[in-house]
Amino acid sequence: MLAYLCNLAETAKTSPEIAVSVVKELENQRTRVKLIASENYCSLPVQLAMGNLLTDKYAEGSPYHRFYAGNENVDAIEDLAAKEACSLFGAQYANVQPHCGADANILAFWAILDTKIEKPLLQKFGETNLYKVTDAQWNELRAALGNQRLLAQDYYSGGHLTHGYRYNMSGRMFDIHTYSVSKENGLLDYDQIEKQAMDVRPFILLAGYSAYPRKINFKRMREIADKVGAVFMVDMAHFAGLVAGKVFTGEYDPVPWAHVVTTTTHKTLRGPRAGLVLATSEFADALDRGCPMTMGGPLPHVIAAKAVAFREAASPEFRDYAKRVVENCQTLATSCSENGLEVLTGGTDNHLVLVNVNSAGLTGRQAESSLHECHITLNRNSLPFDPNGPWYTSGLRFGTAAPTSLGMGKDEMKELGSIMAKVVKGTSQAPAEKDPSKKSKAKHLIDPAVKAEATERVKKVLERFPVYPQLDLEFLKKAFLG
Ligand code: PLP
């Protein structure tokens, strides 16, 4: 509390508005249950490790190999963070510099291209210095790097924007091919993926998702990659905490099977907002050249916070947390379906649930807004083969990483599932503004009695599980909001 108070007091000396917003954010988070599947609450040690003078340092390059002087301490911090990451995940190599998950993916793509395409070509040219290759060789190199094939999970089946979506640069770097989940059961069909891989012959086979509620068999995916000679890359941004917490082991742990693994560090892993790349040693040299290849100066203060988070994630308490995240999620999914919501794939193996609200007569956008009014924060999501597109959507995606960090358990999950179902059933489509004889896809109407009851029930749940209980909200409000 004291550290927070000092931090806010110093900030308020220059910018009282920012201090006010931080206190208001705490108040907001205390009064809403956060079920956003990609968010969490990181510890105060993780938060405070970011708020210091390390942000002043330029540290371009890699540990002990910098383009700037005076990096003795940053070297030690980055070296420690990378070692902690390797030991946590059993990886041969870690690059802790990416600023976020999107950064980590771009770095991984380039490191794979560099290792598998550029290096052999330079060897063929008998040259190591890019400035010494001839114009013809440079053009040959650029042509070879462009338009390689990437086979990844389709965005509308739960894949991520950075896996080749047309509105993301990955969609322009590669010749994109995608695999979907099965129309019948919403699950990945490995035989089908194998067939597709045999046709496409991808340079990279990519597994990983933002919205898929089941485990992936990475051993099977690696077999497919090997069969077609592809590099196997996994983006475990969503479930890294379940890997670190040893819930996903054996064939469900991507690290032993993939050549390159990327992740965010702020979702189930509960660290600072940032990214990470793990790889076999084959890719270490290219990844070490991430700055200047794809990144500018690393963020030493965030790398310090990653080191703290990795140590936390190696603890027995974190393993227990990861186990409870999945148990809670399964209880929440069961409660939703017992209370009449349509849960995709019939449940979950991980930290997230997908619900179809189209079958309840709503778009995802309407259900999201209605639940938000009742103090439940989650997000709408496209469902596989969604007729409502990526803006309105037909689905909701929600998860248990954040409420489990607050200490919530099965009773709270049952209660939240029941409240959510009641709100969805108590919500209807408002008439369209332009033509009231039609229904709006955006605006909703909620039964006031349902809203009052749901808000009260959420409040009761939250009273027992305050967000950052170490922080005295009333005191901070008096100090900074006046
Ligand atoms: N990869 C996956 C699978 C994600 O779900 C996300 C974020 O939602 C990202 C990458 C990108 O992470 P960031 O927002 O930190 O760039």
Side-chain angles (χ1 to χ4, degrees):
M1 172 66 188
L2 190 59
Y4 241 80
L5 189 59
C6 295
N7 173 318
L8 289 171
E10 280 302 313
T11 304
K13 279 185 194 164
T14 306
S15 185
E17 300 94 320
I18 295 296
V20 165
S21 291
V22 174
V23 176
K24 280 190 174 169
E25 180 60 24
L26 176 62
E27 183 170 36
N28 208 326
Q29 298 217 16
R30 283 260 173 104
T31 49
R32 290 176 189 281
V33 63
K34 178 158 87 172
L35 296 182
I36 293 189
S38 52
E39 292 188 8
N40 209 329
Y41 304 103
C42 69
S43 71
L44 293 187
V46 168
Q47 288 186 30
L48 295 168
M50 281 183 277
N52 55 52
L53 79 174
L54 292 169
T55 192
D56 296 334
K57 280 304 300 169
Y58 247 115
E60 288 182 353
S62 52
Y64 312 109
H65 191 264
R66 307 282 185 187
F67 294 91
Y68 277 78
N71 272 303
E72 299 77 10
N73 296 307
V74 176
D75 282 342
I77 289 166
E78 188 173 339
D79 196 28
L80 176 69
K83 283 191 177 125
E84 300 255 8
C86 284
S87 136
L88 180 64
F89 291 107
Q92 291 172 8
Y93 169 89
N95 186 310
V96 294
Q97 293 189 355
H99 304 172
C100 63
D103 249 20
N105 282 340
I106 293 296
L107 173 58
F109 290 146
W110 276 109
I112 296 169
L113 286 165
D114 187 292
T115 307
K116 294 290 189 185
I117 307 274
E118 182 165 321
K119 226 187 215 167
L121 262 182
L122 286 175
Q123 262 163 13
K124 186 182 107 182
F125 301 154
E127 190 52 82
T128 51
N129 186 339
L130 280 178
Y131 282 96
K132 289 195 181 159
V133 299
T134 64
D135 285 352
Q137 287 170 334
W138 176 243
N139 287 334
E140 186 182 338
L141 182 63
R142 291 192 56 193
L145 289 170
N147 227 25
Q148 291 289 339
R149 290 186 200 128
L150 175 75
L151 177 60
Q153 187 166 336
D154 175 38
Y155 174 66
Y156 295 100
S157 293
H160 190 253
L161 300 167
T162 54
H163 300 174
Y165 190 64
R166 285 199 176 170
Y167 290 97
N168 180 267
M169 72 180 283
S170 55
R172 298 160 199 213
M173 273 172 76
F174 292 104
D175 173 15
I176 299 298
H177 298 260
T178 57
Y179 55 87
S180 299
V181 294
S182 141
K183 266 197 173 145
E184 282 75 51
N185 56 20
L187 301 176
L188 290 173
D189 176 342
Y190 298 103
D191 293 340
Q192 182 54 36
I193 297 170
E194 178 170 332
K195 242 170 89 198
Q196 220 179 328
M198 299 286 281
D199 283 345
V200 170
R201 298 267 155 192
F203 170 63
I204 298 176
L205 176 65
L206 174 52
Y209 55 79
S210 292
Y212 181 68
R214 295 294 176 178
K215 291 194 257 197
I216 295 179
N217 187 327
F218 297 110
K219 178 170 180 276
R220 179 79 176 93
M221 291 295 278
R222 172 63 187 260
E223 281 162 8
I224 298 171
D226 284 348
K227 204 163 177 182
V228 298
V231 174
F232 182 39
M233 172 174 160
V234 175
D235 179 347
M236 63 169 182
H238 261 265
F239 53 90
L242 306 183
V243 177
K246 308 292 176 218
V247 175
F248 285 0
T249 55
E251 56 213 25
Y252 303 108
D253 173 353
V255 181
W257 306 106
H259 297 98
V260 179
V261 178
T262 57
T263 184
T264 55
T265 51
H266 49 269
K267 298 183 169 74
T268 49
L269 191 53
R270 212 164 64 182
R273 179 162 299 283
L276 167 72
V277 182
L278 305 170
T280 56
S281 337
E282 182 188 2
F283 298 91
D285 175 54
L287 286 165
D288 272 344
R289 286 180 279 111
C291 166
M293 175 60 95
T294 68
M295 293 180 298
L299 309 176
H301 55 307
V302 183
I303 292 174
K306 285 184 225 188
V308 175
F310 297 152
R311 190 162 295 177
E312 286 179 354
S315 67
E317 292 76 20
F318 191 88
R319 282 193 189 193
D320 179 54
Y321 161 72
K323 190 166 145 272
R324 284 186 294 109
V325 166
V326 177
E327 287 168 359
N328 277 346
C329 208
Q330 289 169 338
T331 306
L332 182 58
T334 304
S335 171
C336 286
S337 56
E338 282 176 358
N339 285 287
L341 294 179
E342 185 188 334
V343 172
L344 264 69
T345 78
T348 179
D349 297 327
N350 57 21
H351 63 296
L352 70 86
V353 183
L354 290 177
V355 158
N356 183 351
V357 289
N358 210 6
S359 49
L362 301 175
T363 62
R365 177 143 184 226
Q366 289 164 324
E368 175 194 87
S369 308
S370 185
L371 286 157
H372 193 68
E373 265 190 60
C374 302
H375 291 213
I376 295 178
T377 308
L378 43 65
N379 65 289
R380 66 186 183 279
N381 217 93
S382 290
L383 300 179
F385 320 104
D386 199 319
N388 280 323
W391 179 250
Y392 295 111
T393 82
S394 301
L396 295 176
R397 182 193 72 166
F398 46 91
T400 49
T404 307
S405 287
L406 298 183
M408 289 187 197
K410 290 186 179 167
D411 289 346
E412 290 72 36
M413 296 304 115
K414 284 183 195 157
E415 172 69 350
L416 288 172
S418 152
I419 301 171
M420 285 160 67
K422 196 145 193 198
V423 172
V424 169
K425 285 186 213 154
T427 303
S428 55
Q429 297 190 304
E433 263 168 34
K434 284 191 187 142
D435 178 359
S437 68
K438 294 199 174 124
K439 297 288 185 198
S440 169
K441 281 188 160 190
K443 299 263 181 307
H444 70 279
L445 300 169
I446 179 166
D447 177 337
V450 169
K451 178 175 166 180
E453 185 200 315
T455 311
E456 190 51 37
R457 284 169 71 185
V458 168
K459 191 172 160 205
K460 282 222 171 84
V461 171
L462 280 174
E463 269 166 11
R464 286 180 284 130
F465 299 95
V467 173
Y468 296 114
Q470 309 91 321
L471 306 179
D472 183 339
L473 178 60
E474 289 316 310
F475 183 86
L476 292 173
K477 275 167 72 176
K478 261 188 222 130
F480 297 100
L481 307 190

